[in-house]
Amino acid sequence: MTKTIGFIGLGNMGGPMAANLVKAGHQVRVFDLQQSAMAHLAELGAVKADSARQAAQQADVVISMLPAGKHVDSLYLGEQGLIDCLSSQTLVIDCSTIDAETAQRVGQQLAQKGIAFIDAPVSGGTAGAQAGTLTFIVGGEITAFDNAQSVLQCMGKNIFHAGGHGAGQIAKICNNMLLSILMAGTAEALQMGIDNGLDPKVLSDIMLQSSGRNWTLELYNPCPDVMPNVPSSKSYQGGFMVDLMKKDLGLAMDTANKSQSTTPMGALAQSLYKLHSLQGNGKLDFSSIFKLYSSHQD
Ligand code: NAD
């Protein structure tokens, strides 16, 4: 069934996600602070809104895909917050990766007004957003989860219910902490092989068929020119920014502190990504952590 969807935040992820909703035949009203992002979606058939409120008013579903918790908090609960203009018929889906507390607070405050909310952060990167094959990791009431299925299926392939409000964010942050460790470890192993005369493509093929196999070797090799069409072979442009991974590792460490969990590998990965960002690489894709290991060869 065709739905009216308000989509807010049309960046590297939100842009292609909104495009897939248009392709699926939904009426999509878009808003972003960047005019160019809205213009691109309008060319594909979406309607440009003048404000987040205009995009959200009388929508069946509102989706947000913003950088961090402060943006999500302000969008829904701030001075001009959507909480005052949404109807109790609207389903709100926040796909941003943010702290679980903000997701819980927004979810609870919307619930007090009878508005259903799920946190639904994603995994799969920009390629998954474009192909419509994202994994959604959902926190919230099961009825809201069920109601979101038909819309999420236009943008993703695997849809998991992790638990109540905020549980999607906790699961997502566990995944990204592991991903950062795998990426740094893979870069470290590849560079040691190169330093000892190995061809990184040959070494990657060997590790892919050995016990070091992991997602970064399969789909996102950090060493330039080992794989086509990945950020490492495009000067680390596009993809998932170092500064966003740095943000996620901050969220992971805050979560670990609160739950008194022991996360030495996550803490080390956080230091590595912080250092890498401080060296001026914050806007590059996170696989550029490889440069931290390879720079002695420059
Ligand atoms: P991005 O910086 O490319 O996009 C964010 C967009 O939000 C920008 O276009 C910006 O103009 C817009 N924006 C910011 N504040 C706004 C506001 N108040 N109103 C309207 N628009 C506003 O970021 P991204 O890579 O698309 O990531 C978005 C979220 O998805 C982040 O939380 C990130 O951690 C998460 N994520 C990213 C990836 C990835 O591979 N890029 C993968 C999984 C999850």
Side-chain angles (χ1 to χ4, degrees), residues 32 73 86 93 106 137 173 199 288:
D32 193 288
D73 188 271
L86 294 173
I93 305 176
V106 173
I137 310 164
I173 234 57
D199 177 333
S288 65

Side-chain angles (χ1 to χ4, degrees), residues 136-197:
F136 285 92
I137 310 164
V138 177
E141 299 287 335
I142 198 78
T143 36
F145 172 74
D146 290 341
N147 290 340
Q149 289 285 332
S150 66
V151 167
L152 297 183
Q153 278 163 7
C154 302
M155 303 179 284
K157 210 168 56 173
N158 299 301
I159 304 168
F160 292 100
H161 186 241
H165 287 146
Q169 298 296 349
I170 299 282
K172 165 72 185 169
I173 234 57
C174 291
N175 177 74
N176 274 26
M177 183 178 79
L178 175 59
L179 171 63
S180 70
I181 295 166
L182 290 174
M183 185 58 89
T186 300
E188 190 170 309
L190 283 171
Q191 188 57 44
M192 187 170 81
I194 294 166
D195 291 343
N196 285 279

Side-chain angles (χ1 to χ4, degrees), residues 69-70 72-73 77 94 97-109 117 119 165-170 173 250-259:
K70 63 180 180 189
V72 174
D73 188 271
L77 309 179
D94 179 49
T97 303
I98 63 170
D99 56 290
E101 287 75 22
T102 299
Q104 283 157 357
R105 190 171 56 254
V106 173
Q108 282 156 10
Q109 297 208 16
F117 171 87
D119 44 297
H165 287 146
Q169 298 296 349
I170 299 282
I173 234 57
L251 293 175
M253 293 305 100
D254 289 347
T255 304
N257 278 340
K258 283 190 194 113
S259 55

Side-chain angles (χ1 to χ4, degrees), residues 8-14 31-34 65-67 71 96-97 122 125-126 172 239-241 244 247-248:
I8 296 138
L10 306 166
N12 289 328
M13 295 295 288
F31 180 70
D32 193 288
L33 300 177
Q34 308 276 347
M65 191 50 162
L66 298 173
H71 306 98
S96 328
T97 303
V122 303
T126 47
K172 165 72 185 169
F240 181 48
M241 281 191 295
L244 285 177
K247 174 203 70 169
D248 288 359

Side-chain angles (χ1 to χ4, degrees), residues 154-276:
C154 302
M155 303 179 284
K157 210 168 56 173
N158 299 301
I159 304 168
F160 292 100
H161 186 241
H165 287 146
Q169 298 296 349
I170 299 282
K172 165 72 185 169
I173 234 57
C174 291
N175 177 74
N176 274 26
M177 183 178 79
L178 175 59
L179 171 63
S180 70
I181 295 166
L182 290 174
M183 185 58 89
T186 300
E188 190 170 309
L190 283 171
Q191 188 57 44
M192 187 170 81
I194 294 166
D195 291 343
N196 285 279
L198 294 186
D199 177 333
K201 168 87 177 79
V202 172
L203 177 57
S204 295
D205 288 345
I206 292 168
M207 294 195 292
L208 256 178
Q209 299 307 325
S210 307
S211 43
R213 177 179 191 152
N214 69 75
W215 182 88
T216 73
L217 285 169
E218 280 173 49
L219 295 171
Y220 217 97
N221 198 297
C223 178
D225 302 323
V226 169
M227 261 182 187
N229 299 322
V230 291
S232 61
S233 297
K234 295 186 275 189
S235 309
Y236 298 107
Q237 298 302 309
F240 181 48
M241 281 191 295
V242 167
D243 282 347
L244 285 177
M245 180 56 97
K246 198 179 76 168
K247 174 203 70 169
D248 288 359
L249 285 166
L251 293 175
M253 293 305 100
D254 289 347
T255 304
N257 278 340
K258 283 190 194 113
S259 55
Q260 303 268 298
S261 309
T262 309
T263 51
M265 305 287 281
L268 184 53
Q270 184 190 32
S271 293
L272 290 173
Y273 279 94
K274 260 192 195 166
L275 174 64
H276 188 48

